[in-house]
């Protein structure tokens, strides 16, 4: 039985507490208490809570946050007992440009863990639909853990339409921005590609302030989606006829090498395959794992040697004190939850 | 529809550990459908849902948490529908001469196609003249199997006892045995040791599916249903008649729900019920009559 100790953070639909097992006080857990019937939600259990419980209960993988138990409490709240992940998230590491240095070997280690998590979801017919650095938590031993399954869903039955209002804007693939209602695991692969780019650049790669601007950035940096490079694209619901004179052909390897050269030519090749405009030409999560970048030099850094925020487990206590107040303000998740990205950051 | 199949399984799971005398299936059923819609991404607001059923939104939401607890928070139901579609697509690929046999099976796509033409016909039918007839045979089997999955597989306990692939394969066995045999012989090598075991399980599963009650009860069954319904009204737990009121009270006074331990413990619930009945016995005219609107 878990006992709640102190508050770790708060999101739109949940408050997260640090807890420990009654039988073994050294075993720490995170207890995520889902809120019910907020101002915007009067429909009972939230979709977020149902999805998170539904999918995390089925997935058991070293790179996916573990759900140990679910229990109910006063006020008919759902409480999720989650694996406690004390070292923040990937976004903190990326942002801490002065404090944390890393190179290709580290990026390869983090991307490898992300790639395995996403592949495992897809192998189990689950789309995550909200992959971004601050949903990638870091465990005490440096392992990256994919978290926040509040937007996840199972692969649709054939012909069933799905919402295109998913995935935080900066990580959203072009087909969703263009209103596709049928899509596949490749939406998550695009997000993975933008995370890869962000890890190298140490700032968000395509940071549009509006959906239109997001699409413009994609045209500018990757290429303009047209029938020639993406057959069928003009039939998507929100397709915009791009100005003939303004069409940017798909960027070639030279261009990517000039921006992401530190990943090396093989790494750039993988990045480009994840950021292919046409989802049919984009790598699947399995193809990502089969790419030769993983087995070429340099080898990925061992997880125990990866740079960590806050100097590892010894300093954990102090770290937590700061975290409670500090993180919620910097997270954009709450905005994504309501599927209105207009106010982001 | 997927959510309907999920809702039926929620009901079945819920009544593994709850009695219909405590919670009336009619009420739980509505909530099961609503919860299944949410879990299967077919969300409708509770208002529009309640309007369609002509009930109050409160009556839907009142038992949502109860149901969730009864399900032990497992929302995922594995269905056989995707498997059936996949198998059907494979069968069609075999007719096209494009299907690859399973690992270890030494049959070329061409041989596989010819074997299909050679398949013994379903009972009462004559042998296929050309591949078109085989395609139609696959389509017929697919349609019938799907129907069984939507009815018998849901109404029996098959979901508890068999895996999704066992479920759809046994429906294929029921509707067209030679086709099912051909399929398995093409997927698994002749020498496969598991094949006899698979067939034993499929036969057991098929037997269970055949024993399913009809989806449309006949006159006799309807009469029996009425009788049971009447009887149920007489032996219901009086304390659980009005779920809406119970839910309201719980929201007002969360401690009624039994602390923050792992679910409502039996001991606490008993104590609660004792206190409740003591309070009620103090009331000279007995407990308040339940408001049956919900
Ligand atoms: N498993 C965990 N281990 C440690 N901290 C966590 C864990 N889960 C969540 N947190 C903290 O609680 C905060 C709120 O989490 P959550 O409700 O999931 O956020 P949101 O609703 O914004 O997605 C997070 O910012 C994070 O700092």
């Amino acid at each position: 039985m878990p006992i709640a100790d102190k508050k770790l953070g708060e999101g739109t639909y949940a408050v997260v507490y640090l807890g420990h097992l009654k039988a073994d006080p050294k075993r720490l857990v995170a207890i995520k208490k889902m809120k019910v019937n907020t101002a915007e939600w009067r429909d009972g259990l939230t979709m977020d809570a149902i999805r998170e419980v539904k999918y995390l209960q089925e997935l058991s993988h070293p790179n996916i946050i573990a759900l140990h138990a679910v229990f109910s409490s006063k006020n008919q709240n759902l409480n999720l007992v989650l694996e406690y992940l004390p070292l923040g998230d990937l976004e903190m590491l990326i942002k801490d440009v002065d404090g944390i240095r890393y190179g290709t070997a580290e990026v390869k280690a983090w991307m490898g863990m992300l790639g395995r998590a996403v592949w495992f979801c897809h192998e189990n017919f689950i789309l995550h639909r909200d992959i971004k650095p601050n949903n990638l938590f870091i465990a005490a031993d440096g392992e990256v853990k994919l978290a926040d399954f509040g937007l996840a869903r199972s692969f649709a039955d054939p012909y069933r339409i799905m919402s295109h209002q998913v995935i935080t804007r900066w990580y959203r693939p072009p087909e969703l921005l263009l209103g596709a209602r049928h899509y596949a695991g490749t939406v998550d692969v695009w997000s993975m590609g933008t995370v890869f780019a962000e890890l190298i650049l140490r700032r968000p790669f395509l940071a549009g302030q509006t959906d239109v601007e997001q699409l413009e950035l994609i045209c500018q940096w990757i290429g303009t989606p047209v029938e020639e490079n993406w057959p069928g694209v003009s039939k998507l619901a929100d397709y915009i006829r791009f100005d003939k004179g303004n069409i940017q052909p798909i960027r070639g390897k030279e261009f990517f090498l000039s921006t992401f050269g530190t990943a090396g030519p093989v790494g750039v090749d993988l990045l480009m395959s994840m950021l292919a405009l046409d989802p049919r030409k984009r790598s699947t999560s399995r193809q990502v794992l089969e790419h030769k970048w993983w087995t070429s030099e340099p080898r990925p850094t061992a997880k125990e040697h990866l740079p960590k925020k806050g100097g590892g487990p010894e300093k954990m206590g102090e770290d937590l004190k700061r975290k409670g107040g500090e993180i919620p303000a910097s997270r954009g998740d709450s905005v994504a939850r309501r599927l209105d990205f207009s106010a982001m950051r | 529809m997927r959510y309907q199949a999920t809702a039926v399984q929620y009901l079945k799971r819920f009544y593994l550990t709850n009695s219909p005398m405590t919670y009336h299936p009619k009420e739980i059923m509505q909530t099961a459908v609503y919860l299944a819609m949410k879990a299967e991404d077919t969300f409708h607001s509770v208002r529009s849902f309640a309007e369609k059923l002509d009930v109050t939104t409160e009556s839907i939401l009142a038992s949502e948490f109860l149901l969730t607890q009864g399900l032990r928070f497992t929302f995922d139901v594995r269905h056989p529908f995707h498997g059936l579609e996949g198998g059907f697509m494979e069968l069609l690929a075999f007719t096209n001469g494009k299907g690859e046999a399973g690992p270890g099976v030494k049959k070329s796509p061409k041989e596989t196609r010819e074997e299909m033409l050679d398949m013994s016909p379903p009972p009462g039918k004559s042998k296929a003249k050309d591949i078109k007839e085989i395609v139609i045979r696959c389509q017929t089997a697919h349609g019938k199997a799907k129907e069984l999955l939507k009815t018998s597989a849901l109404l029996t306990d098959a979901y508890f006892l068999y895996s999704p692939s066992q479920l759809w394969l046994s429906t294929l066995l029921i509707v067209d045995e030679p086709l099912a045999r051909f399929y398995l012989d093409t997927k698994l090598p002749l020498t496969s040791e598991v094949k006899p075991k698979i067939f034993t399980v499929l036969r057991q599963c098929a037997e269970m599916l055949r024993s399913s009650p009809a989806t449309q009860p006949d006159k006799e069954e309807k009469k029996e249903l009425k009788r049971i319904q009447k009887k149920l009204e007489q032996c219901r737990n009086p304390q659980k008649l009005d779920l809406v009121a119970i839910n309201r009270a719980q929201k007002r006074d969360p401690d009624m729900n039994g602390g923050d331990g792992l679910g409502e413990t039996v001991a606490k619930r008993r104590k609660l019920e004792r206190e409740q009945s003591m309070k009620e016995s103090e009331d000279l005219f007995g407990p308040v009559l339940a408001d049956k609107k919900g």
Side-chain angles (χ1 to χ4, degrees):
Chain A
M1 177 152 140
I3 309 288
D5 299 329
K6 60 185 164 196
K7 197 159 149 179
L8 285 176
E10 183 163 355
T12 327
Y13 281 119
V15 186
V16 182
Y17 299 91
L18 175 65
H20 66 267
L21 295 190
K22 201 175 181 180
D24 180 4
K26 285 201 287 294
R27 285 250 343 247
L28 299 177
V29 291
I31 303 177
K32 188 166 178 174
K33 185 172 184 155
M34 310 303 270
K35 299 176 188 169
V36 275
N37 289 342
T38 56
E40 313 94 86
W41 186 261
R42 308 227 145 265
D43 297 89
L45 277 174
T46 62
M47 298 288 285
D48 273 63
I50 293 176
R51 285 172 174 153
E52 185 130 78
V53 173
K54 176 176 172 184
Y55 296 115
L56 284 184
Q57 244 173 4
E58 301 297 322
L59 296 169
S60 169
H61 186 276
N63 299 114
I64 296 175
I65 188 169
L67 174 64
H68 297 305
V70 184
F71 66 94
S72 48
S73 64
K74 303 172 178 184
N75 276 328
Q76 309 201 330
N77 269 330
L78 266 190
N79 294 265
L80 278 54
V81 183
L82 294 160
E83 181 177 8
Y84 173 53
L85 303 168
L87 296 183
D89 55 54
L90 217 48
E91 188 189 54
M92 296 175 185
L93 297 182
I94 294 171
K95 277 193 173 162
D96 189 3
V97 181
D98 299 326
I100 289 171
R101 291 214 189 142
Y102 60 76
T104 310
E106 285 75 32
V107 173
K108 190 178 281 186
W110 286 320
M111 283 306 294
M113 294 189 266
L114 169 58
R116 290 192 285 271
V118 173
W119 167 78
F120 193 74
C121 291
H122 294 177
E123 200 69 3
N124 285 282
F125 310 108
I126 295 165
L127 301 174
H128 184 279
R129 304 199 300 180
D130 201 14
I131 290 167
K132 55 180 172 178
N134 67 359
N135 279 340
L136 294 162
F137 285 37
I138 305 195
D141 63 354
E143 196 86 40
V144 169
K145 308 264 179 177
L146 180 57
D148 202 343
F149 279 66
L151 277 176
R153 67 159 293 154
S154 313
F155 287 11
D157 295 333
Y159 313 113
R160 258 284 300 280
I161 59 162
M162 297 183 271
S163 169
H164 59 280
Q165 296 286 16
V166 291
I167 307 184
T168 305
R169 190 191 301 121
W170 299 349
Y171 308 91
R172 207 184 301 161
E175 64 270 31
L176 294 186
L177 290 161
L178 294 172
R181 307 303 298 268
H182 300 281
Y183 49 85
T186 42
V187 296
D188 287 336
V189 174
W190 175 279
S191 307
M192 247 201 293
T194 53
V195 171
F196 189 5
E198 183 167 337
L199 277 167
I200 299 170
L201 298 175
R202 301 205 64 158
R203 59 175 164 74
F205 175 35
L206 305 165
Q209 294 303 310
T210 62
D211 285 1
V212 174
E213 196 193 326
Q214 188 66 29
L215 206 53
E216 279 168 6
L217 285 172
I218 291 176
C219 292
Q220 182 188 334
W221 287 89
I222 315 282
T224 313
V226 286
E227 280 295 321
E228 289 74 50
N229 57 33
W230 179 350
V233 65
S234 62
K235 295 195 187 68
L236 291 176
D238 302 334
Y239 187 72
I240 316 161
R241 302 248 152 243
F242 295 94
D243 209 355
K244 268 258 164 10
N246 238 335
I247 287 174
Q248 167 63 50
I250 291 194
R251 297 279 186 180
K253 190 150 180 178
E254 295 305 308
F255 178 78
F256 274 88
L257 274 173
S258 68
T259 316
F260 302 102
T262 46
V266 188
V268 163
D269 185 76
L270 172 62
L271 177 64
M272 288 176 71
S273 79
M274 293 163 122
L275 294 176
L277 279 184
D278 182 348
R280 270 170 298 215
K281 292 177 192 146
R282 205 175 297 151
S283 283
T284 62
S285 50
R286 167 174 281 268
Q287 286 165 340
V288 166
L289 290 190
E290 285 164 354
H291 199 274
K292 55 183 184 300
W293 188 54
W294 310 111
T295 48
S296 55
E297 289 295 322
R299 292 172 65 85
T301 307
K303 68 182 177 199
E304 55 273 22
H305 298 134
L306 285 168
K308 291 182 181 88
K309 186 196 149 68
E314 308 81 43
K315 279 203 203 159
M316 212 166 69
E318 288 166 46
D319 241 27
L320 287 170
K321 263 177 240 147
R322 262 182 284 129
K323 258 191 185 165
E326 179 182 296
I327 303 152
S330 70
R331 288 190 33 129
D333 292 40
S334 51
V335 189
R337 271 299 154 270
R338 272 178 269 122
L339 300 174
D340 164 15
F341 304 88
S342 55
M344 223 181 112
R345 268 172 261 220
Chain B
M1 285 297 256
R2 194 187 176 84
Y3 74 83
Q4 288 160 335
T6 299
V8 176
Q9 294 313 309
Y10 282 179
L11 260 192
K12 285 194 160 264
R13 289 183 186 178
F14 180 79
Y15 286 109
L16 283 176
T17 49
N18 287 284
S19 164
M21 290 192 284
T22 318
Y23 302 111
H24 201 292
K26 238 186 205 162
E27 288 172 41
I28 302 298
M29 195 154 27
Q30 297 169 357
T31 308
V33 173
Y34 180 66
L35 186 64
M37 285 172 100
K38 285 203 243 181
E40 299 290 1
D41 290 279
T42 324
F43 175 68
H44 289 270
S45 78
V46 68
R47 247 190 51 218
S48 68
F49 184 76
E51 257 166 35
K52 281 214 181 88
L53 293 180
D54 200 19
V55 295
T56 62
T57 56
E58 240 188 322
S59 75
I60 307 280
L61 294 182
S63 46
E64 188 181 42
F65 207 74
L66 182 75
L67 175 61
T68 308
Q69 282 175 314
L71 294 174
R72 305 283 187 275
F73 313 105
T74 51
F75 298 114
D76 195 36
V77 179
R78 300 286 162 112
H79 292 292
F81 303 111
H82 278 198
L84 175 70
E85 294 309 313
F88 175 55
M89 271 146 76
E90 274 181 306
L91 283 172
L92 288 185
F94 291 141
T95 65
N96 284 333
K98 283 189 192 134
E100 292 288 341
V105 182
K106 288 179 188 64
K107 282 195 226 174
S108 70
K110 198 166 153 263
E111 284 164 342
T112 310
R113 185 168 181 267
E114 265 148 33
E115 197 183 317
M116 278 190 115
L117 275 166
D118 225 32
M119 218 165 21
S120 55
K125 293 268 165 64
S126 51
K127 218 174 134 199
K129 286 191 287 292
D130 53 20
I131 205 74
K132 246 199 218 136
E133 284 186 25
I134 299 288
V135 172
I136 293 172
R137 178 171 172 181
C138 291
Q139 285 165 340
T140 313
H142 169 246
K144 284 185 186 164
K146 198 164 169 178
E147 202 48 42
L148 280 178
L149 289 181
K150 284 201 276 188
T151 53
S152 310
L154 293 175
L155 294 171
T156 56
D157 287 342
Y159 264 68
F160 289 138
L161 299 168
Y162 301 99
S163 68
S165 42
Q166 289 168 341
L167 282 172
W168 80 260
L169 280 168
S170 54
T171 58
L172 194 61
L173 196 68
I174 294 175
V175 302
D176 191 339
E177 179 158 344
L179 189 62
R181 281 198 169 280
F182 158 79
Y183 180 78
L184 281 172
D185 286 342
T186 311
K187 299 294 286 184
L188 294 168
L190 277 173
T191 52
S192 163
E193 281 168 28
V194 291
K195 208 148 52 177
K197 286 187 197 153
I198 291 177
F199 270 101
T200 312
V201 177
L202 293 185
R203 287 204 190 288
Q204 285 165 353
C205 179
E207 202 172 310
M208 172 168 274
L209 296 182
R210 284 200 184 93
S211 74
S212 162
T215 28
Q216 296 300 328
D218 62 20
K219 241 191 188 153
E220 280 300 302
E221 283 169 317
K222 272 192 186 144
K223 228 168 94 190
E224 178 67 2
L225 275 174
K226 273 218 179 91
R227 189 188 66 79
I228 296 173
Q229 206 175 344
K230 255 200 196 131
K231 190 170 169 190
L232 179 58
E233 290 308 327
Q234 281 157 11
C235 47
R236 291 203 48 198
N237 179 347
Q239 266 143 29
K240 301 282 184 183
L241 281 179
D242 190 351
L243 292 180
V244 170
I246 293 173
N247 189 47
R248 269 190 208 148
Q250 261 169 4
K251 288 237 170 87
R252 262 198 315 272
D253 178 11
D255 283 327
M256 257 187 74
N257 200 22
D260 43 12
L262 288 153
E264 193 180 354
T265 64
V266 177
K268 274 181 175 159
R269 196 166 65 215
R270 296 249 162 86
K271 180 164 166 263
L272 207 74
E273 285 170 358
R274 250 195 333 270
E275 285 169 358
Q276 178 88 16
S277 72
M278 260 162 67
K279 249 188 264 156
E280 278 163 357
S281 63
E282 279 163 22
D283 188 340
L284 195 59
F285 300 102
V288 191
L289 284 177
D291 173 8
K292 286 249 193 66
K293 252 194 311 211

